[in-house]
Amino acid sequence: MMDLLGDYTLRLVAAGSAVLGATSGVLGSFAYLRRQSLIGDAVSHAALPGIAIAFLLTGSKVPLLIMIGAAVAGWAATYLMGLVVRRSRVPFDSAIGMGLAVFFGLGLVLLTYIQKRPNAAQAGLESYLFGQAASLLRRDVVTMGVLAAVALLTLAILWKEFKLLTFDPEFAGSLGLPVRRLDGLLTLLLVVAIVIGLQTVGVVLMSAMIVAPAAAARQWSRGLATMVVVAAAIGVFSGIVGSVASSLVPRLPTGPTIVLVLSSVVAASVLFAPGRGLVWRAIRLGRLRRQPDQEPVLMHLYALSLQHEENPDHGHNVAVLRTMSQPGADIEGALNRLAARGLARCSETGLWAPTEIGRREASKILDRESEGGR
Protein backbone atom coordinates (compact mmCIF):
# COMPACT_ATOMS: atom_id res chain seq x y z
CA MET A 1 0.00 0.00 0.00
CA MET A 2 2.82 2.40 0.83
CA ASP A 3 4.41 1.61 -2.53
CA LEU A 4 1.16 2.57 -4.23
CA LEU A 5 0.88 5.83 -2.30
CA GLY A 6 4.46 6.64 -3.20
CA ASP A 7 3.90 6.09 -6.92
CA TYR A 8 3.96 9.57 -8.46
CA THR A 9 2.28 8.47 -11.71
CA LEU A 10 -0.52 6.75 -9.82
CA ARG A 11 -1.13 9.85 -7.72
CA LEU A 12 -1.40 11.98 -10.85
CA VAL A 13 -3.74 9.54 -12.58
CA ALA A 14 -5.90 9.18 -9.45
CA ALA A 15 -6.07 12.95 -9.00
CA GLY A 16 -7.04 13.50 -12.64
CA SER A 17 -9.64 10.73 -12.48
CA ALA A 18 -11.09 12.15 -9.27
CA VAL A 19 -11.42 15.61 -10.84
CA LEU A 20 -13.10 14.08 -13.86
CA GLY A 21 -15.45 11.95 -11.72
CA ALA A 22 -16.54 14.87 -9.55
CA THR A 23 -17.14 17.24 -12.47
CA SER A 24 -18.94 14.74 -14.67
CA GLY A 25 -21.05 13.57 -11.74
CA VAL A 26 -22.21 17.08 -10.85
CA LEU A 27 -22.93 18.32 -14.38
CA GLY A 28 -24.19 14.94 -15.57
CA SER A 29 -26.91 15.11 -12.92
CA PHE A 30 -28.49 18.05 -14.72
CA ALA A 31 -28.30 16.31 -18.09
CA TYR A 32 -29.83 13.18 -16.55
CA LEU A 33 -32.73 15.04 -14.92
CA ARG A 34 -33.39 17.00 -18.12
CA ARG A 35 -33.45 13.71 -20.06
CA GLN A 36 -30.56 14.87 -22.19
CA SER A 37 -28.07 12.16 -21.31
CA LEU A 38 -27.54 11.35 -24.97
CA ILE A 39 -26.10 14.83 -25.45
CA GLY A 40 -23.07 13.66 -23.49
CA ASP A 41 -22.59 10.80 -25.94
CA ALA A 42 -22.95 13.12 -28.93
CA VAL A 43 -20.60 15.78 -27.55
CA SER A 44 -17.89 13.28 -26.59
CA HIS A 45 -17.91 11.75 -30.09
CA ALA A 46 -18.15 15.18 -31.74
CA ALA A 47 -15.02 16.26 -29.87
CA LEU A 48 -12.82 14.00 -32.04
CA PRO A 49 -12.75 16.28 -35.13
CA GLY A 50 -12.04 19.22 -32.82
CA ILE A 51 -8.99 17.38 -31.47
CA ALA A 52 -7.78 16.64 -35.00
CA ILE A 53 -8.36 20.18 -36.27
CA ALA A 54 -6.61 21.70 -33.24
CA PHE A 55 -3.57 19.56 -33.98
CA LEU A 56 -3.63 20.41 -37.70
CA LEU A 57 -3.77 24.13 -36.95
CA THR A 58 -1.15 24.22 -34.22
CA GLY A 59 0.96 21.11 -34.77
CA SER A 60 0.95 20.71 -30.98
CA LYS A 61 -0.58 18.26 -28.52
CA VAL A 62 -0.58 20.72 -25.62
CA PRO A 63 -3.62 19.62 -23.52
CA LEU A 64 -5.14 23.09 -23.27
CA LEU A 65 -5.11 23.55 -27.07
CA ILE A 66 -6.56 20.07 -27.60
CA MET A 67 -9.29 20.74 -25.03
CA ILE A 68 -10.18 24.06 -26.67
CA GLY A 69 -10.51 22.34 -30.04
CA ALA A 70 -12.63 19.57 -28.54
CA ALA A 71 -14.82 22.08 -26.71
CA VAL A 72 -15.44 24.15 -29.84
CA ALA A 73 -16.36 21.06 -31.83
CA GLY A 74 -18.62 19.75 -29.07
CA TRP A 75 -20.40 23.06 -28.67
CA ALA A 76 -20.79 23.37 -32.47
CA ALA A 77 -22.36 19.90 -32.56
CA THR A 78 -24.91 20.75 -29.89
CA TYR A 79 -25.74 24.05 -31.60
CA LEU A 80 -26.25 22.40 -34.98
CA MET A 81 -28.38 19.63 -33.45
CA GLY A 82 -30.55 22.21 -31.71
CA LEU A 83 -30.84 24.18 -34.95
CA VAL A 84 -31.97 21.08 -36.83
CA VAL A 85 -34.63 20.34 -34.20
CA ARG A 86 -35.93 23.92 -34.20
CA ARG A 87 -35.95 24.42 -37.98
CA SER A 88 -37.19 21.01 -39.11
CA ARG A 89 -39.42 18.12 -38.10
CA VAL A 90 -36.48 15.92 -37.14
CA PRO A 91 -36.98 14.72 -33.53
CA PHE A 92 -34.36 15.40 -30.89
CA ASP A 93 -33.06 11.82 -30.58
CA SER A 94 -32.68 11.48 -34.35
CA ALA A 95 -30.77 14.77 -34.49
CA ILE A 96 -28.41 13.50 -31.80
CA GLY A 97 -27.84 10.25 -33.68
CA MET A 98 -27.12 12.09 -36.91
CA GLY A 99 -24.81 14.59 -35.23
CA LEU A 100 -22.90 11.85 -33.41
CA ALA A 101 -22.36 9.83 -36.60
CA VAL A 102 -21.39 12.80 -38.79
CA PHE A 103 -18.91 14.37 -36.35
CA PHE A 104 -17.38 11.07 -35.27
CA GLY A 105 -17.00 9.98 -38.87
CA LEU A 106 -15.34 13.30 -39.72
CA GLY A 107 -13.02 12.88 -36.76
CA LEU A 108 -11.94 9.40 -37.87
CA VAL A 109 -11.25 10.67 -41.39
CA LEU A 110 -9.14 13.55 -40.07
CA LEU A 111 -7.32 11.25 -37.64
CA THR A 112 -6.48 8.83 -40.47
CA TYR A 113 -5.20 11.72 -42.57
CA ILE A 114 -3.01 12.96 -39.73
CA GLN A 115 -1.54 9.50 -39.12
CA LYS A 116 -0.48 9.23 -42.76
CA ARG A 117 1.45 12.49 -42.62
CA PRO A 118 5.25 12.30 -42.17
CA ASN A 119 5.06 14.10 -38.84
CA ALA A 120 6.31 12.41 -35.68
CA ALA A 121 4.36 14.86 -33.53
CA GLN A 122 1.08 13.15 -34.38
CA ALA A 123 2.05 10.00 -32.45
CA GLY A 124 -0.40 9.27 -29.66
CA LEU A 125 -3.41 11.19 -30.98
CA GLU A 126 -5.29 7.92 -31.41
CA SER A 127 -5.18 7.52 -27.61
CA TYR A 128 -8.02 10.03 -27.41
CA LEU A 129 -10.35 7.32 -28.74
CA PHE A 130 -10.14 5.16 -25.62
CA GLY A 131 -8.03 7.31 -23.33
CA GLN A 132 -4.54 6.89 -21.95
CA ALA A 133 -4.61 7.99 -18.34
CA ALA A 134 -1.07 6.78 -17.71
CA SER A 135 0.21 9.56 -19.97
CA LEU A 136 -1.22 12.30 -17.74
CA LEU A 137 1.34 14.89 -16.69
CA ARG A 138 1.21 17.38 -13.84
CA ARG A 139 0.27 20.20 -16.23
CA ASP A 140 -2.58 18.07 -17.60
CA VAL A 141 -4.05 17.54 -14.14
CA VAL A 142 -3.65 21.24 -13.32
CA THR A 143 -5.45 22.19 -16.55
CA MET A 144 -8.25 19.74 -15.75
CA GLY A 145 -8.54 21.11 -12.23
CA VAL A 146 -8.72 24.74 -13.35
CA LEU A 147 -11.38 24.05 -15.98
CA ALA A 148 -13.37 21.93 -13.53
CA ALA A 149 -13.19 24.65 -10.87
CA VAL A 150 -14.44 27.28 -13.32
CA ALA A 151 -17.33 25.05 -14.42
CA LEU A 152 -18.38 24.13 -10.88
CA LEU A 153 -18.06 27.72 -9.65
CA THR A 154 -20.31 28.90 -12.50
CA LEU A 155 -22.81 26.21 -11.58
CA ALA A 156 -22.77 27.26 -7.93
CA ILE A 157 -23.33 30.93 -8.79
CA LEU A 158 -26.31 30.13 -11.04
CA TRP A 159 -27.59 27.21 -8.96
CA LYS A 160 -31.13 28.53 -8.50
CA GLU A 161 -31.50 29.45 -12.17
CA PHE A 162 -30.21 26.09 -13.38
CA LYS A 163 -32.42 24.25 -10.88
CA LEU A 164 -35.50 26.08 -12.11
CA LEU A 165 -34.47 25.49 -15.73
CA THR A 166 -34.11 21.78 -15.05
CA PHE A 167 -37.48 21.20 -13.42
CA ASP A 168 -39.76 23.89 -14.87
CA PRO A 169 -38.37 25.81 -17.88
CA GLU A 170 -41.79 27.28 -18.69
CA PHE A 171 -42.05 28.84 -15.24
CA ALA A 172 -38.46 30.08 -15.56
CA GLY A 173 -39.42 31.83 -18.78
CA SER A 174 -42.48 33.39 -17.17
CA LEU A 175 -40.18 34.91 -14.52
CA GLY A 176 -38.21 36.65 -17.23
CA LEU A 177 -35.13 34.41 -17.04
CA PRO A 178 -33.15 34.06 -20.30
CA VAL A 179 -34.02 30.39 -20.71
CA ARG A 180 -32.22 29.89 -24.02
CA ARG A 181 -29.02 31.50 -22.77
CA LEU A 182 -29.11 29.52 -19.55
CA ASP A 183 -29.68 26.34 -21.55
CA GLY A 184 -26.71 27.17 -23.76
CA LEU A 185 -24.50 27.93 -20.76
CA LEU A 186 -25.46 24.68 -19.02
CA THR A 187 -24.68 22.77 -22.20
CA LEU A 188 -21.32 24.56 -22.41
CA LEU A 189 -20.49 23.49 -18.84
CA LEU A 190 -21.36 19.92 -19.81
CA VAL A 191 -18.99 20.24 -22.77
CA VAL A 192 -16.24 21.35 -20.36
CA ALA A 193 -16.89 18.30 -18.18
CA ILE A 194 -16.53 16.09 -21.23
CA VAL A 195 -13.37 17.58 -22.72
CA ILE A 196 -11.41 17.37 -19.47
CA GLY A 197 -11.94 13.60 -19.48
CA LEU A 198 -10.97 12.81 -23.06
CA GLN A 199 -7.35 12.04 -22.23
CA THR A 200 -8.37 9.85 -19.28
CA VAL A 201 -11.24 7.70 -20.61
CA GLY A 202 -11.39 8.72 -24.27
CA VAL A 203 -14.05 9.78 -26.74
CA VAL A 204 -15.85 6.43 -26.83
CA LEU A 205 -16.23 5.90 -23.09
CA MET A 206 -16.68 9.47 -21.91
CA SER A 207 -20.48 9.32 -22.22
CA ALA A 208 -20.52 6.71 -19.42
CA MET A 209 -18.87 9.21 -17.07
CA ILE A 210 -21.71 11.65 -17.72
CA VAL A 211 -24.63 9.25 -17.40
CA ALA A 212 -23.57 6.60 -14.89
CA PRO A 213 -22.81 8.65 -11.72
CA ALA A 214 -26.10 10.53 -12.08
CA ALA A 215 -28.06 7.33 -12.73
CA ALA A 216 -26.59 5.71 -9.63
CA ALA A 217 -27.05 8.81 -7.46
CA ARG A 218 -30.71 9.09 -8.48
CA GLN A 219 -31.39 5.76 -6.77
CA TRP A 220 -30.08 7.05 -3.44
CA SER A 221 -31.47 10.59 -3.34
CA ARG A 222 -34.67 12.60 -3.56
CA GLY A 223 -33.43 16.20 -3.78
CA LEU A 224 -31.24 17.81 -6.42
CA ALA A 225 -28.53 18.94 -3.99
CA THR A 226 -28.23 15.47 -2.47
CA MET A 227 -28.16 13.88 -5.91
CA VAL A 228 -25.37 16.17 -7.09
CA VAL A 229 -23.23 15.46 -4.02
CA VAL A 230 -23.79 11.68 -4.24
CA ALA A 231 -23.05 11.69 -8.00
CA ALA A 232 -19.80 13.57 -7.40
CA ALA A 233 -18.81 11.13 -4.65
CA ILE A 234 -19.55 8.14 -6.90
CA GLY A 235 -17.50 9.68 -9.70
CA VAL A 236 -14.54 10.34 -7.40
CA PHE A 237 -14.74 6.84 -5.89
CA SER A 238 -14.89 5.15 -9.29
CA GLY A 239 -12.02 7.24 -10.64
CA ILE A 240 -9.70 6.47 -7.74
CA VAL A 241 -10.60 2.77 -7.46
CA GLY A 242 -10.28 2.30 -11.22
CA SER A 243 -6.88 4.00 -11.24
CA VAL A 244 -5.58 1.87 -8.38
CA ALA A 245 -6.95 -1.34 -9.92
CA SER A 246 -5.32 -0.62 -13.28
CA SER A 247 -1.99 -0.01 -11.57
CA LEU A 248 -2.17 -3.34 -9.74
CA VAL A 249 -2.91 -5.43 -12.83
CA PRO A 250 -0.34 -5.26 -15.64
CA ARG A 251 -1.59 -3.90 -18.99
CA LEU A 252 -5.04 -3.14 -17.59
CA PRO A 253 -6.21 0.14 -19.22
CA THR A 254 -7.28 2.82 -16.77
CA GLY A 255 -10.22 4.36 -18.67
CA PRO A 256 -12.16 1.13 -19.27
CA THR A 257 -11.40 0.02 -15.69
CA ILE A 258 -12.90 3.23 -14.31
CA VAL A 259 -16.01 2.70 -16.42
CA LEU A 260 -16.31 -0.91 -15.21
CA VAL A 261 -16.07 0.19 -11.57
CA LEU A 262 -18.66 2.84 -12.26
CA SER A 263 -20.93 0.30 -13.94
CA SER A 264 -20.65 -1.93 -10.87
CA VAL A 265 -21.72 0.96 -8.65
CA VAL A 266 -24.71 1.62 -10.93
CA ALA A 267 -25.70 -2.06 -10.84
CA ALA A 268 -25.44 -2.16 -7.04
CA SER A 269 -27.49 1.03 -6.77
CA VAL A 270 -30.23 -0.24 -9.06
CA LEU A 271 -30.43 -3.46 -7.05
CA PHE A 272 -29.97 -2.38 -3.44
CA ALA A 273 -30.76 1.34 -3.07
CA PRO A 274 -33.45 1.80 -0.40
CA GLY A 275 -36.77 2.95 -1.77
CA ARG A 276 -35.97 2.44 -5.45
CA GLY A 277 -33.73 -0.64 -5.60
CA LEU A 278 -35.14 -3.76 -7.25
CA VAL A 279 -34.30 -5.94 -4.25
CA TRP A 280 -35.89 -3.46 -1.84
CA ARG A 281 -38.98 -3.28 -4.02
CA ALA A 282 -39.18 -7.07 -4.19
CA ILE A 283 -39.01 -7.29 -0.40
CA ARG A 284 -41.62 -4.58 -0.05
CA LEU A 285 -43.84 -6.26 -2.63
CA GLY A 286 -43.54 -9.53 -0.73
CA ARG A 287 -44.68 -7.79 2.44
CA LEU A 288 -47.64 -6.28 0.61
CA ARG A 289 -48.56 -9.68 -0.78
CA ARG A 290 -48.52 -11.14 2.71
CA GLN A 291 -50.61 -8.21 3.94
CA PRO A 292 -52.41 -7.20 0.74
CA ASP A 293 -55.09 -4.90 2.10
CA GLN A 294 -53.27 -2.76 4.65
CA GLU A 295 -51.83 -0.01 2.45
CA PRO A 296 -54.96 0.54 0.31
CA VAL A 297 -57.16 0.68 3.41
CA LEU A 298 -54.78 3.10 5.09
CA MET A 299 -54.86 5.31 2.00
CA HIS A 300 -58.69 5.21 2.02
CA LEU A 301 -58.73 6.24 5.68
CA TYR A 302 -56.30 9.04 4.90
CA ALA A 303 -58.39 10.27 1.96
CA LEU A 304 -61.50 10.33 4.14
CA SER A 305 -59.66 12.22 6.89
CA LEU A 306 -58.67 14.92 4.40
CA GLN A 307 -62.36 15.60 3.86
CA HIS A 308 -62.63 16.50 7.55
CA GLU A 309 -59.58 18.74 8.01
CA GLU A 310 -61.24 20.47 10.95
CA ASN A 311 -61.57 17.09 12.68
CA PRO A 312 -59.10 14.57 11.20
CA ASP A 313 -60.07 12.03 13.90
CA HIS A 314 -63.57 11.80 12.43
CA GLY A 315 -64.31 8.09 12.01
CA HIS A 316 -66.04 6.13 9.26
CA ASN A 317 -67.94 2.92 9.12
CA VAL A 318 -66.41 -0.28 7.75
CA ALA A 319 -69.12 -0.30 5.08
CA VAL A 320 -67.75 2.96 3.65
CA LEU A 321 -64.28 1.49 3.40
CA ARG A 322 -65.68 -1.65 1.80
CA THR A 323 -67.30 0.37 -1.00
CA MET A 324 -63.96 2.06 -1.69
CA SER A 325 -62.00 -1.21 -1.83
CA GLN A 326 -61.72 -4.11 -4.24
CA PRO A 327 -64.46 -6.77 -4.00
CA GLY A 328 -63.53 -9.53 -1.58
CA ALA A 329 -60.88 -7.49 0.25
CA ASP A 330 -60.41 -8.37 3.91
CA ILE A 331 -61.24 -4.90 5.28
CA GLU A 332 -61.75 -5.95 8.90
CA GLY A 333 -58.48 -7.91 8.95
CA ALA A 334 -56.58 -5.02 7.37
CA LEU A 335 -58.03 -2.57 9.89
CA ASN A 336 -57.07 -4.79 12.80
CA ARG A 337 -53.51 -5.13 11.49
CA LEU A 338 -53.28 -1.36 11.00
CA ALA A 339 -54.51 -0.86 14.55
CA ALA A 340 -51.88 -3.30 15.82
CA ARG A 341 -49.23 -1.21 14.10
CA GLY A 342 -50.61 2.01 15.57
CA LEU A 343 -51.69 3.39 12.19
CA ALA A 344 -55.46 3.30 12.74
CA ARG A 345 -57.87 3.24 15.67
CA CYS A 346 -61.49 2.30 16.25
CA SER A 347 -63.83 4.45 18.31
CA GLU A 348 -66.27 3.09 20.87
CA THR A 349 -69.01 3.37 18.25
CA GLY A 350 -67.10 1.19 15.75
CA LEU A 351 -65.91 4.00 13.50
CA TRP A 352 -62.39 3.88 12.09
CA ALA A 353 -59.91 6.76 11.55
CA PRO A 354 -56.16 7.01 10.93
CA THR A 355 -53.91 7.94 13.81
CA GLU A 356 -51.45 10.82 13.51
CA ILE A 357 -48.71 8.27 12.75
CA GLY A 358 -51.00 6.68 10.16
CA ARG A 359 -51.57 10.01 8.45
CA ARG A 360 -47.82 10.63 8.30
CA GLU A 361 -47.25 7.15 6.86
CA ALA A 362 -49.92 7.68 4.21
CA SER A 363 -48.37 11.02 3.28
CA LYS A 364 -44.98 9.33 2.87
CA ILE A 365 -46.54 6.69 0.60
CA LEU A 366 -48.00 9.41 -1.58
CA ASP A 367 -44.61 11.16 -1.75
CA ARG A 368 -42.89 7.92 -2.77
CA GLU A 369 -45.43 7.23 -5.48
CA SER A 370 -45.14 10.76 -6.86
CA GLU A 371 -41.33 10.49 -6.84
CA GLY A 372 -41.47 7.12 -8.58
CA GLY A 373 -43.70 8.52 -11.32
CA ARG A 374 -41.26 11.23 -12.28
Side-chain angles (χ1 to χ4, degrees):
M1 179 60 69
M2 294 304 298
D3 292 338
L4 285 176
L5 295 177
D7 190 330
Y8 179 75
T9 301
L10 175 59
R11 293 205 304 270
L12 277 181
V13 173
S17 301
V19 170
L20 168 62
T23 310
S24 58
V26 171
L27 293 168
S29 297
F30 287 88
Y32 179 88
L33 291 173
R34 299 175 71 198
R35 300 183 180 180
Q36 294 181 348
S37 299
L38 282 177
I39 285 184
D41 198 16
V43 171
S44 61
H45 284 74
L48 187 59
I51 293 171
I53 293 173
F55 176 78
L56 287 172
L57 292 177
T58 64
S60 171
K61 293 187 296 183
V62 174
L64 183 58
L65 296 176
I66 294 295
M67 288 181 184
I68 291 174
V72 171
W75 182 86
T78 58
Y79 176 79
L80 291 176
M81 288 185 294
L83 189 64
V84 168
V85 172
R86 291 193 299 270
R87 299 293 178 85
S88 70
R89 296 183 178 180
V90 177
F92 184 67
D93 56 345
S94 299
I96 288 180
M98 292 169 55
L100 185 154
V102 170
F103 276 81
F104 189 60
L106 175 61
L108 289 177
V109 170
L110 292 175
L111 196 61
T112 302
Y113 168 73
I114 291 172
Q115 289 175 337
K116 290 183 178 180
R117 297 177 65 193
N119 183 358
Q122 56 82 22
L125 273 182
E126 68 279 358
S127 65
Y128 283 97
L129 283 173
F130 297 101
Q132 191 174 358
S135 65
L136 284 174
L137 302 176
R138 180 182 178 84
R139 65 179 184 182
D140 303 335
V141 177
V142 171
T143 302
M144 293 170 62
V146 170
L147 292 175
V150 171
L152 296 180
L153 180 61
T154 304
L155 180 68
I157 293 173
L158 297 174
W159 174 265
K160 292 182 179 179
E161 289 79 1
F162 285 148
K163 182 177 181 180
L164 191 57
L165 177 68
T166 298
F167 292 106
D168 199 341
E170 291 80 10
F171 181 61
S174 68
L175 293 178
L177 295 178
V179 173
R180 182 167 294 183
R181 292 181 182 178
L182 287 172
D183 181 76
L185 179 57
L186 189 55
T187 301
L188 179 60
L189 296 181
L190 184 64
V191 170
V192 173
I194 290 171
V195 298
I196 66 174
L198 294 179
Q199 190 172 352
T200 305
V201 299
V203 167
V204 177
L205 298 176
M206 186 58 216
S207 58
M209 297 298 298
I210 296 296
V211 178
R218 185 70 179 95
Q219 311 304 314
W220 298 92
S221 57
R222 295 186 180 276
L224 176 61
T226 305
M227 178 179 175
V228 165
V229 172
V230 174
I234 291 173
V236 171
F237 170 81
S238 301
I240 294 176
V241 172
S243 301
V244 173
S246 67
S247 69
L248 294 175
V249 181
R251 296 183 179 181
L252 186 65
T254 304
T257 304
I258 292 174
V259 173
L260 285 176
V261 173
L262 190 52
S263 301
S264 301
V265 175
V266 173
S269 300
V270 171
L271 288 173
F272 302 111
R276 291 192 177 93
L278 297 179
V279 173
W280 188 92
R281 287 187 177 185
I283 294 173
R284 182 170 178 268
L285 182 60
R287 290 175 179 174
L288 290 178
R289 285 175 177 172
R290 290 192 296 270
Q291 301 175 343
D293 299 325
Q294 286 191 45
E295 187 171 297
V297 172
L298 177 61
M299 299 308 296
H300 295 328
L301 285 173
Y302 181 63
L304 292 170
S305 70
L306 292 179
Q307 299 177 8
H308 301 275
E309 295 184 3
E310 71 286 351
N311 182 20
D313 294 327
H314 181 82
H316 293 83
N317 196 285
V318 175
V320 176
L321 296 169
R322 187 174 287 111
T323 60
M324 300 173 66
S325 305
Q326 294 290 335
D330 183 13
I331 305 301
E332 288 83 356
L335 288 170
N336 289 329
R337 288 190 291 270
L338 288 171
R341 294 170 58 191
L343 302 179
R345 61 170 167 239
C346 182
S347 67
E348 296 179 356
T349 57
L351 300 180
W352 287 87
T355 63
E356 182 179 352
I357 298 176
R359 288 192 291 272
R360 288 203 300 265
E361 179 66 21
S363 179
K364 291 179 181 178
I365 294 172
L366 286 177
D367 291 340
R368 284 201 302 267
E369 291 178 351
S370 63
E371 286 284 337
R374 291 182 182 176

